[in-house]
Amino acid sequence: MSAHMHGTPKGSTLLFATLILATFATWGMGSLGVTGTWGVAVLAAISFWKGAVVILDFMALRHAPLLWRALTMGWIIVVWALIAIAYIKGLAQ
Amino acid sequence: MPASGPAQAHGPRLAGDLAIWFFILAELLAFGVFFAAYAFARAKNIELFAAEQAALNRNAGALNTVLLLTASYFVVRAVQAAEAEASRQCANWLGGAILTGFGFVVVKLTEYAAAFEHNISLSSSTFHMFYLSLTFFHFMHVILGLVILIAMWNGARQGRYRPGDMNGLETGAAYWHMVDLVWLILFPLVYVIH
């Protein structure tokens, strides 16, 4: 087993703290009623970053073969791309 | 079937059983289709979705995000403890993950009870059909995740996980993180973005 494949306690605690801060940012933006293309882009970027941390660091795919990293990161990219296309389509209604 | 062997000790390695990763991919695809269907249905009913989304309990959604992230963090610490040959600590971290996971269940059931009090059902609107089916589909995954965490907690208490024998722990951990990962999209998509 590669050393520190699952990270170090200090590193994962730091990531956890930033994930919680990012969650408060999303909640705050929702409570303030932030909307519009840029607001949604920021919300999507925060969610994407949080997902990437879970995939690469918590699921330890940073140390996995490239294929599995590409499949999981590809999933989150495609999902957010589809949500973005639908959002833009909704603006044109 | 372990995803790796001693020969790959220093190269890229998939944590846990290879089979769980195919299962995770299938689950991610199912949730991905669900998310896209929600987003395109919303694009056709912007006003309806905005009005009914505004009635959701965003605080409960945010609290559940914090609970799932905390459970995921505890699971990471449990795996790190097992890597450090600290079985007792591994079990304690898993116990914390189980408690926070049950916290998610309690918050979600409270949310559902409030919705049913307002006569919200699968047939009350397109938005509610998506809200209930998407969140309940995810809820069932949380329940399965909790069963897995309890089994791992029991295993950790018996000292089953140690360096070189981490496959069961890593497999369950990967599943739990997948449950968390899906919620990280579900929360902003259904509760926040309008």
Side-chain angles (χ1 to χ4, degrees), chain A residues 1-2 5-9 12-13 16 23 27 30-31 35 47 51 54 58-59 61 63-64 68 75 86-87 93, chain B residues 9 12-14 21 25 28 39 42-43 58-59 62 69-70 73 76-77 79-80 83 166 170 174 177 181 184 194:
Chain A
M1 184 179 308
S2 41
M5 178 175 178
H6 296 282
T8 60
S12 50
T13 301
F16 170 63
T23 301
W27 171 77
S31 299
T35 185
S47 170
V54 170
F58 285 11
M59 295 172 115
L61 283 165
H63 307 283
W68 287 95
W75 174 80
Y87 186 81
Q93 294 285 315
Chain B
R13 187 180 77 88
L14 200 51
W21 287 99
L25 276 187
L28 290 180
R42 177 196 165 276
R58 194 180 301 113
N59 295 341
L69 282 172
T70 305
Y73 167 69
V76 170
R77 293 300 303 265
V79 175
Q80 290 170 346
E83 269 185 330
M166 299 271 291
E170 288 180 335
H177 293 315
L181 172 62
L184 293 180
H194 62 277

Side-chain angles (χ1 to χ4, degrees), chain B residues 21-138:
Chain B
W21 287 99
F22 283 109
F23 183 69
I24 285 172
L25 276 187
E27 296 281 23
L28 290 180
L29 279 175
F31 274 106
V33 169
F34 232 150
F35 291 149
Y38 171 92
F40 282 97
R42 177 196 165 276
K44 288 183 182 170
N45 304 276
I46 300 273
E47 287 178 9
L48 170 85
F49 273 56
E52 294 189 334
Q53 184 193 53
L56 290 184
N57 188 343
R58 194 180 301 113
N59 295 341
L63 175 59
N64 265 346
T65 310
V66 170
L67 287 168
L68 277 190
L69 282 172
T70 305
S72 253
Y73 167 69
F74 286 166
V75 169
V76 170
R77 293 300 303 265
V79 175
Q80 290 170 346
E83 269 185 330
E85 297 187 67
S87 288
R88 182 70 176 267
Q89 285 176 22
C90 174
N92 289 344
W93 285 114
L94 288 172
I98 292 164
L99 286 178
T100 43
F102 271 113
F104 177 96
V105 170
V106 170
V107 172
K108 201 78 217 135
L109 288 177
T110 308
E111 216 182 318
Y112 284 145
F116 295 145
E117 262 182 32
H118 289 91
N119 295 319
I120 288 170
S121 69
L122 284 170
S123 56
S124 47
S125 74
T126 309
F127 175 82
H128 287 136
M129 186 273 288
F130 273 109
Y131 162 71
L132 288 174
S133 53
L134 244 178
T135 57
F136 191 73
F137 188 45
H138 178 267

